[in-house]
Amino acid sequence: MHIDLALLGYGNVARALARLLMRKEATLREDYDLTFRVTGIATRSRGLAINPDGLDLAEALRLADSGEPLDSLHRGAPVHDTLEFVRQCPADLVMEATWLNPQTGQPATDYVRAALEAGRHVVTANKGPIAFAYRELRALAAQKGVGLFFESTVMDGAPVLGIAREGLVASTVERVRGVLNSTTNYILTALEQGTAFDDAVAETQRMGIAEADPTNDLEGWDAAVKIVVLANVMMGADVRPADVERAGIRGITREDAQRAVREGERIKLLCEAVRQGDAVRVSVRPTRLPLSDPLAQVDRTSSAVTIETDTLHRLTIVEGDTDPTTTAYGMLVDMINIARGRYR
Ligand SMILES: NC(=O)c1ccc[n+]([C@@H]2O[C@H](COP(=O)([O-])OP(=O)(O)OC[C@H]3O[C@@H](n4cnc5c(N)ncnc54)[C@H](OP(=O)(O)O)[C@@H]3O)[C@@H](O)[C@H]2O)c1
């Protein structure tokens, strides 16, 4: 099978994906009978490029890494904006890795909708479209007979949604609990070790895991969007980030964190979705967990999720050492699953 790809966004994740695609090209061809071309790349400020014969990916990486625009790679009529790009780029599959707005899910939701409407498969690493419009986009994908996969939206490339889809069939998910935001988990770990709150925040910014404005992490928005994705996808809920009972970690001191440790517990920013009758209640809040809880063992930038079902009872997935390549890997898995027709 051959698949033409459009990359929407060309930042850390999409460039890691480009490198991974080049590294895995022979594996895809030999083991999965899958060949690909990248026929378009769109960015917000570095231009965009479409070439129906396939872009030179190595050259696109060189340009992006050196801060040069991509326009020199473009062939054909000019394309003015991202929506026009989505509609015009001759691609079977749109790989979406643009910016996340955790309050609205836009503009990524519009891009995903436009790609599906144009009959293209979509893989997205962006939580926004799934947290804000999952049911609508899923129905649209089904109507158009295309796939919509989004493994990398929660816990990077760790196969959380894949396990639920393939391995928890005929099960009812009763509860999902997770430590899902690496910035706050790193800060909470640092507080336990005696670092002051503001210094810990600055450290996450220096490491590049927190944004210059860390509000979305510290106030629990990023975590809220992730638990909404899990609740809607795994539990059939229909909630939005604004429905999450949400408290962030501002106000937690190193004294609080160290006291919890002395008393045999650890403070974690716990994300939770619990089935209650026909409803699912979702929350994000700092919670003291006993050390016997696997979620209490998750350090620094690691993440973990515990899924409770009526069949497997309790399953915990832990991931460590994440980086943009682990996120890109989840997108590659989604691409292979679409090529295998797993969306039908
Ligand atoms: N970083 C991770 O490890 C990770 C993990 C899981 C999920 N994600 C999700 O993956 C997505 C990408 O993350 P990232 O770290 O790669 O972000 P990033 O480095 O900031 O890259 C974002 C890219 O999207 C482009 N972009 C933004 N708005 C756009 C628009 N309106 N039209 C076209 N392109 C647009 C940007 O263009 P410019 O280059 O012009 O700025 C940039 O190329 C986000 O949704 C994030 O939440 C990331």
Side-chain angles (χ1 to χ4, degrees), residues 120-269:
R120 310 191 200 290
H121 303 289
V122 172
V123 167
T124 180
N126 191 327
K127 299 168 272 298
I130 308 305
F132 285 88
Y134 173 58
R135 286 189 180 200
E136 175 216 326
L137 297 174
R138 183 184 59 178
L140 182 58
Q143 182 203 333
K144 295 288 181 179
V146 294
L148 169 64
F149 277 52
F150 42 87
E151 184 61 80
S152 299
T153 54
V154 181
M155 285 175 63
D156 311 291
V160 176
L161 299 169
I163 283 177
R165 190 177 61 244
E166 307 278 338
L168 293 176
V169 291
S171 297
T172 301
V173 176
E174 302 289 357
R175 185 155 84 136
V176 177
R177 301 163 70 244
V179 173
L180 300 174
N181 178 265
S182 42
T183 301
T184 47
N185 202 49
Y186 187 93
I187 292 168
L188 291 170
T189 309
L191 295 182
E192 290 172 351
Q193 291 163 355
T195 308
F197 189 89
D198 289 346
D199 293 340
V201 173
E203 209 172 314
T204 60
Q205 288 168 321
R206 269 197 304 278
M207 291 165 67
I209 57 170
E211 313 248 331
D213 175 3
T215 306
N216 285 331
D217 289 326
L218 300 185
E219 296 188 358
W221 275 109
D222 176 79
V225 175
K226 286 174 175 164
I227 195 65
V228 163
V229 169
L230 294 180
N232 289 351
V233 175
M234 286 187 183
M235 304 175 79
D238 191 17
V239 289
R240 301 287 176 276
D243 300 323
V244 176
E245 295 162 32
R246 181 179 49 81
I249 66 162
R250 281 194 213 272
I252 294 179
T253 63
R254 61 184 151 190
E255 288 74 22
D256 297 330
Q258 290 178 328
R259 188 179 321 110
V261 170
R262 279 197 304 276
E263 293 170 6
E265 295 185 332
R266 297 183 80 187
I267 302 175
K268 295 291 169 192
L269 185 63

Side-chain angles (χ1 to χ4, degrees), residues 9-13 43-46 82 97-98 111 125-126 156 327:
Y10 207 44
N12 295 313
V13 169
T43 70
R44 181 179 42 86
S45 60
R46 297 154 194 250
T82 310
T98 68
Y111 301 153
N126 191 327
D156 311 291
T327 305

